[in-house]
Amino acid sequence: MVGETGSGKTTLAKLLTRLMDPTSGQVLLGGVPLEQVRFASLRRRVVMVPQDGFLFDLSIADNIRFAHPGATDSDVVDAFAVLGLADWVAGLPDGVGTRVGERGSSLSAGERQLVALARAQIAAPDLLVLDEATSAVDPATEVRIARALVELTRGRTSVTIAHRLSTAQSADMVVVVDAGRIVQWGTHTELAGTAGVYQQLHASWTAGVTGL
Ligand SMILES: Nc1ncnc2c1ncn2[C@@H]1O[C@H](COP(=O)(O)OP(=O)(O)OP(=O)(O)O)[C@@H](O)[C@H]1O
Ligand SMILES: [Mg+2]
């Protein structure tokens, strides 16, 4: 899902995960209206990785346990390992026991997203809704996020709000949101060859270095 800032991408992600309910219309998941799906099963099967991950002033493992109370430290370590992040965690002062500071301030925005990805990995949802971080991420973290996403999205349906050309290029389908409405959908190649909002976005991505 791509679109200008303020076009309604995060809003759509919140509707998909019932962090918000629509004032009109309906969201269907596999043909079933979302309001008919029990919250407990929705929370288990649909997980959202937010744009700016919020963390509590606790250890990394405790932050992940907030969402999954049964997870042991070794489950948490395993989740990072599956995502290729074992070395990153091992490099922290106290591994998964490292405290993240107030609102996660001892980690960078990109590193907070790594924690959110591990949290999603433990949840093992059927549908992953990922709101890519808009804030600048250092190149090393960027590579880690990209690698982790390959593993996290493997074998599951994912809806990614993309701020990077590379993400849109690798998607099976690109949905373009503009002023609160879906205005285009298709593959990257189709949309890049069609006059419209996507072509303009694509031009601005390729002209600037941001997001590449
Ligand atoms: N709870 C709300 N009530 C009313 N309007 C809202 C609410 N949340 C967001 N908006 C507005 O809806 C529009 C879409 O916001 P949204 O956060 O979905 O944009 P976005 O596409 O995710 O943007 P960005 O790329 O900056 O993350 C914006 O104009 C925003 O100000
Ligand atoms: Mg947003």
Side-chain angles (χ1 to χ4, degrees):
M1 193 149 53
V2 300
E4 298 279 353
T5 187
S7 57
K9 304 180 297 295
T10 298
T11 304
L12 197 45
K14 286 179 175 170
L15 293 171
L16 284 177
T17 50
R18 285 204 75 189
L19 293 175
M20 255 183 197
D21 279 328
T23 48
S24 65
Q26 236 181 359
V27 181
L28 306 182
L29 183 63
V32 180
L34 268 195
E35 68 269 26
Q36 285 177 21
V37 179
R38 279 193 306 129
F39 256 112
S41 92
L42 188 71
R43 289 283 164 265
R44 198 170 59 242
R45 301 182 64 177
V46 181
V47 165
M48 177 165 170
V49 176
Q51 196 163 4
D52 301 298
F54 178 89
L55 297 177
F56 295 100
D57 186 7
L58 297 166
S59 71
I60 288 177
D62 285 341
N63 268 286
I64 288 177
R65 265 192 286 272
F66 247 100
H68 309 284
T72 64
D73 277 8
S74 105
D75 294 335
V76 174
V77 170
D78 288 348
F80 280 104
V82 169
L83 300 181
L85 298 170
D87 61 330
W88 176 72
V89 170
L92 296 173
D94 199 14
V96 295
T98 304
R99 286 185 74 125
V100 300
E102 203 174 323
R103 296 178 145 260
S105 58
S106 72
L107 302 177
S108 70
E111 289 174 330
R112 286 197 291 277
Q113 192 146 59
L114 293 179
V115 174
L117 296 181
R119 181 189 272 162
Q121 171 63 30
I122 280 201
D126 298 320
L127 173 65
L128 181 73
V129 181
L130 174 85
D131 206 347
E132 267 188 350
T134 24
S135 36
V137 169
D138 68 275
T141 308
E142 182 85 58
V143 170
R144 286 198 181 96
I145 291 175
R147 276 205 315 247
L149 280 176
V150 171
E151 295 308 322
L152 184 60
T153 57
R154 196 187 293 285
R156 53 176 64 104
T157 304
S158 53
V159 176
T160 303
I161 295 170
H163 297 282
R164 290 163 185 75
L165 175 59
S166 56
T167 313
Q169 268 172 331
S170 62
D172 298 313
M173 171 148 77
V174 179
V175 172
V176 185
V177 183
D178 192 43
R181 299 197 167 271
I182 292 173
V183 291
Q184 288 183 293
W185 61 91
T187 64
H188 162 78
T189 315
E190 285 163 7
L191 294 181
T194 311
V197 176
Y198 190 77
Q199 228 179 32
Q200 291 159 21
L201 274 174
H202 186 220
S204 67
W205 275 332
T206 35
V209 282
T210 49
L212 292 169

